[in-house]
Amino acid sequence: PRPSHFSPGDEDFQENHERQKHKGKRRNGDRPKNKRENQRRKRSSNSEPETSEESEDEEEVNNDGEVRPELLSPEELEKLKEAVDEKKKLIQSLRGKPWPMKQKLVTLRESQLFVEKYEGALGKGKGRKLYAYKVMMTKKWKKFQRDFENFKTACIPWEMKIKEIESHFGSSVASYFIFLRWMYGINMILFGLTFGLVMVPEALMGRPYGSIPRKTVPRAEEAGAMDFAVLWDFGGYAQYSVLFYGYYNNQRAIGWFKFRMPLSYFLVGVGTVAYSYMVVIRTMARNANESGVGDDNSFNFSWKMFTSWDYLIGNPETADNKFASITTSFKEAILEEQESRKDDNIHLTRFLRVLANFLVLCCLAGSGYLIYFVVRRSQKFALDGLENHTWWERNEVNMVMSLLGMFCPMLFDVISALENYHPRVALQWQLGRIFALFLGNLYTFIIALMDAINLKRKEEKVVKYNITMWEASLYNGTGSENSTAPPVTIHPADVPRGPCWETMVGQEFVRLIISDTMTTYITLLIGDFLRAVLVRFLNHCWCWDLEAGFPSYSEFDVSGNVLGLIFNQGMIWMGAFYAPCLPALNLLRLHVSMYLQCWAVMCCNVPQERVFKASGSNNFYMAMLLVILFLSTLPAIYTIVTIPPSFDCGPFSGKNRMFDVIQETLESDFPAWFSKVFSYASNPGLVLPFILLMVLAIYYLQSTSKSYREANVELKNKLQMVTQRLDNFVFLTSYGSDFILNA
Amino acid sequence: MVSPAIALAFVPLLLTLIIKYRYYFVLFYRAVLVRIWKDCVTGLSREERAFQYVLTNSTPGDPDSILDAFDYWCSKVEFISNIGPKKGKILDRLLLEQSPLTVLELGAHCGYSTVRIARALPLGARLYSIEMDQGNAAIAEKIIRLAGFDDDTVELIVNPSDEVIPRLRSDYNLERLDFVFMDHWKKCYLPDLQLLEEYGLLGKGSMIVADNMLFPGAPKFLRYLRKCGLYEWKIHRAMLEYSRGIRDGMAELIYQGIK
């Protein structure tokens, strides 16, 4: 029975290490102790650690049971010190010893007790209490640090959910949820920026609803402004609110502390993009560091044999599946090895691959044309007036885009069976094709949107003319020519409005996101949940086994979902400048998605038959995200730079270009020398050499990284040669001696 | 009402379904449509047509040629759900490993699997084959005798299996069955298994092989297997007979005895 008042319930090696450093002085003991006890203790300190425990029982009378150093002679002190050092060395090296665990734990505990008891004896005299205090504080600090780490880990949202999913489904499905959580973090920051710096200042400090024409629902639309159908389409009161670009006033400074609203709007727009770039590239760099091993093409079967198992699996059915999938992958590897030896029919394979690519191209072209056709039709509807058409016709574009985005990847998957690629290569082709599909759809949508923007700008000229006419008629009506007459008070709702293409763009994006979300959720409910319910409850009265054959439970489609997430984020980046409510909407959507998909995966899906490791594809998804970020900020930047803002709505109304707000701020808010410096810095003569320098730096870094990679490969080869030589040497010495003996 | 564009957007889905399940469509065509057509045209039943073909195209007394003739007819002319060459090889291997002396077969149908099993039996073994349908049983009897197996080796019992199994011990003096092959109606797998257990016809180490575990599938049987713990079981995965692309499996059970 161990005495319980000893504190080392913690097997913390570091603590002992710390104590080594603090071989400080101990204070002279106050309590009287018989010499006899000390002598017994001295004797026991040089013997086995176990017996020291028995003597320690007697020391329960004293606190801490410390040895009085002044009662020991120098040689004994020396011996004690050696013993303590030996015990410390033992503790340090314990991990590497080939003992059974129980023995290790017992030895550890005893050594720690010994060290703790007798180390104080080594310090001399006075500083003992201070030393004890220091030791106690260090221990407490370590404990606090550990608790804080635990608390930080417990604060990570949804960690238990994801771990549970990982144990059931393997690491690739869990990687989707980890990716979702990471996206949620990014969107949280974007939401913070847009909400805190754009929406809230305008709502609190800007002019309230109804004070100026752009903030009021026009008289013509007032009747239906509160209808649910109108609000769902983001018209009515939703349109004339902080959610969209058009509501914002172009007043240069608002509120009592002169918040520069237009500047803030512009900078937040630029800042969201900059932040996103930074985060994505930083994550890519971190992932590149981790995946350093790389794919060796040698020792394929050894790698498979020793590294295929996923130790995070905690569910028997998943383990069975993983086992079956490893077996299948072995079979496939053997087949592949055989097939790579004989390589007949290369022409047939090539022909089939070309055919498959041709079919995919046809499908892509077909889907692109369909979207273009539908968008043209919706523009025709808009010209006719939207009220004459059914709900289906009004939402045709969104529905067609969502449906195509759902069905075409399935078709690509089926066509890729023709190509006969290795599954990982096939997956990359599949992802590339889905990427092309989504991109094509998105850009067709944008081109159609550009047409609508141009239409609105043409309308602007007409409306400007009409407004001048209307104002003239107003002043004529009051019958006074000079400006000293009291201005006519017209209710803001009655003032004729200029068209606002930015709000229209924002609305289109919001509608697209909403319909995409709805389609995803409905597909989830029908394709996964309803299917699972049918399979489960119809199985005992159906002629064939629904679980084993068609339709069976669905599998979780990792790549499709990840791509959907990436493209969704691309749309947010595209539209966030024109609809500041988009990050908020996306945050809500991701939050709901997380819970809904976690539930759906656990409830309706079965683990995949082909279980893929996620680590290789992580950087691939990040690279796609980067490309999407670049491609989605392009249209926004193009519209900002080339198209003049609407004259009647938004924070930049009245300016020639949106980025003029920067110029204005530099001139008015900063001292004169600052704007001079800036104008020098933005001189093309300075900017071009700088760009050239950056290009050269990138080239230099690229070539050094290539040379490091080659050096790595060479080292690997050398290592292989050395081990081979060592093997030969070992073989020769072990058998060589046999030869000599038997010769 | 619904615009043509939205209808067109469903075209990829249709194409996907057609391409993914093309083997099932082909199977449906061969097993159902061609059969109905031939039934109307010739007036004979499917098994009789098969028998006529086998009679004319095989060597009497040679089980291998009978099986080959059957395989040819089922793959090229029409479709009958015998066990087929691939799954048959698995069955042969299991039989060779087990070397049973008393074998029970539930569901002889045309006699293909009976001939297959009888071919792989050791000397002195006896096969009891149960078939419910009179017409099929008549054809099976002819095929078995054509293959050259006499009454010592193969006995064909024409009764439903749930009536025969209780009487196996009393009427046929069977103590223990070394091997059972189930290929009759899938919903009868579980009741017949439980009957065999109840009447004590299974001993430790008896092997039971059940066909068509995945297509059409016997879900209750599988669920019972997983739960009861009396058997060590595994599923041999293969393809459905005479068709490519449709997965199927045979379950191999080894009775462990009550603990």
Side-chain angles (χ1 to χ4, degrees), chain A residues 278-497:
Chain A
M278 197 189 72
V279 159
V280 172
I281 292 188
R282 194 175 63 179
T283 314
M284 275 184 84
R286 210 185 303 149
N287 280 351
N289 276 347
E290 282 171 4
S291 75
V293 176
D295 262 344
D296 254 3
N297 274 332
S298 46
F299 314 123
N300 256 341
F301 291 102
S302 305
W303 280 114
K304 268 203 215 302
M305 172 71 102
F306 292 114
T307 63
S308 299
W309 189 250
D310 186 354
Y311 286 94
L312 294 169
I313 292 181
N315 176 324
E317 190 187 336
T318 317
D320 284 340
N321 261 11
K322 181 75 180 166
F323 186 81
S325 113
I326 295 177
T327 316
T328 316
S329 91
F330 262 110
K331 284 189 198 159
E332 282 172 1
I334 294 175
L335 265 168
E336 215 182 286
E337 191 72 27
Q338 283 174 343
E339 268 181 48
S340 72
R341 303 269 172 86
K342 59 170 178 166
D343 79 8
D344 56 354
N345 255 347
I346 192 87
H347 298 292
L348 182 65
T349 326
R350 272 202 206 127
F351 169 71
L352 284 176
R353 284 177 189 175
V354 166
L355 180 67
N357 278 322
F358 174 72
L359 289 172
V360 164
L361 271 174
C362 285
C363 185
L364 284 174
S367 94
Y369 178 69
L370 190 61
I371 292 186
Y372 182 74
F373 170 74
V374 170
V375 170
R376 274 263 180 265
R377 237 164 78 103
S378 82
Q379 282 172 350
K380 211 165 36 115
F381 291 158
L383 285 177
D384 289 345
L386 286 172
E387 305 76 35
N388 305 342
H389 300 280
T390 65
W391 184 87
W392 288 106
E393 284 169 340
R394 265 179 284 143
N395 287 338
E396 218 176 27
V397 181
N398 299 335
M399 282 228 62
V400 167
M401 277 186 76
S402 308
L403 284 177
L404 281 178
M406 241 186 353
F407 295 147
C408 285
M410 293 200 278
L411 188 59
F412 294 158
D413 202 14
V414 158
I415 290 179
S416 74
L418 269 180
E419 294 179 322
N420 209 11
Y421 277 127
H422 183 279
R424 200 167 292 139
V425 176
L427 183 68
Q428 286 182 340
W429 273 96
Q430 172 77 353
L431 288 176
R433 284 172 185 151
I434 301 181
F435 188 81
L437 174 77
F438 282 3
L439 209 61
N441 289 354
L442 204 60
Y443 266 73
T444 316
F445 178 72
I446 288 171
I447 290 174
L449 219 56
M450 286 297 201
D451 284 342
I453 292 178
N454 287 335
L455 218 71
K456 275 238 148 79
R457 286 182 55 208
K458 281 198 197 90
E459 203 186 310
E460 228 180 57
K461 292 202 188 81
V462 176
V463 171
K464 257 194 194 154
Y465 178 73
N466 279 347
I467 285 185
T468 45
M469 287 283 106
W470 175 85
E471 272 180 358
S473 72
L474 217 57
Y475 282 112
N476 277 347
T478 56
S480 53
E481 334 59 38
N482 53 354
S483 48
T484 53
V488 186
T489 45
I490 309 260
H491 193 268
D494 293 320
V495 176
R497 304 294 184 71

Side-chain angles (χ1 to χ4, degrees), chain B residues 62-79:
Chain B
D62 182 9
D64 291 331
S65 83
I66 290 186
L67 294 177
D68 286 339
F70 248 121
D71 285 338
Y72 184 83
W73 191 83
C74 292
S75 46
K76 299 279 190 284
V77 181
E78 266 189 66
F79 181 85

Side-chain angles (χ1 to χ4, degrees), chain A residues 22-65:
Chain A
H22 295 299
K23 270 188 206 171
K25 308 183 179 134
R26 285 190 181 248
R27 213 183 56 175
N28 214 339
D30 295 327
R31 304 160 298 282
K33 270 222 145 215
N34 355 11
K35 260 203 150 146
R36 223 180 301 130
E37 270 193 23
N38 286 344
Q39 282 172 351
R40 214 181 305 142
R41 215 176 298 120
K42 275 185 288 178
R43 237 177 288 128
S44 61
S45 72
N46 295 333
S47 62
E48 294 287 298
E50 285 100 3
T51 55
S52 71
E53 313 232 322
E54 299 153 40
S55 60
E56 281 155 15
D57 282 325
E58 302 169 8
E59 290 161 316
E60 280 180 17
V61 201
N62 314 320
N63 52 350
D64 291 338

Side-chain angles (χ1 to χ4, degrees), chain B residues 78-178:
Chain B
E78 266 189 66
F79 181 85
I80 282 193
S81 144
N82 300 132
I83 192 173
K86 295 210 170 67
K87 285 195 278 185
K89 278 205 194 110
I90 301 178
L91 183 63
D92 291 342
R93 178 170 61 86
L94 291 173
L95 275 170
L96 281 177
E97 282 170 11
Q98 182 83 344
S99 290
L101 289 176
T102 321
V103 180
L104 178 68
E105 181 194 14
L106 300 173
H109 198 204
C110 291
Y112 181 94
S113 46
T114 322
V115 170
R116 194 141 197 146
I117 295 177
R119 185 177 69 154
L121 284 181
L123 278 179
R126 198 170 153 85
L127 167 65
Y128 295 88
S129 192
I130 303 184
E131 172 58 45
M132 188 176 83
D133 182 76
Q134 297 286 351
N136 289 351
I139 295 188
E141 177 83 38
K142 288 186 212 156
I143 296 259
I144 296 170
R145 303 307 165 215
L146 189 68
F149 295 113
D150 57 358
D151 217 18
D152 271 345
T153 323
V154 181
E155 178 169 343
L156 187 65
I157 308 170
V158 189
N159 255 323
S161 56
D162 43 359
E163 286 171 26
V164 177
I165 294 180
R167 298 201 325 242
L168 274 179
R169 197 179 279 268
S170 51
D171 290 353
Y172 299 91
N173 293 326
L174 288 181
E175 287 305 316
R176 180 196 132 112
L177 294 167
D178 298 322

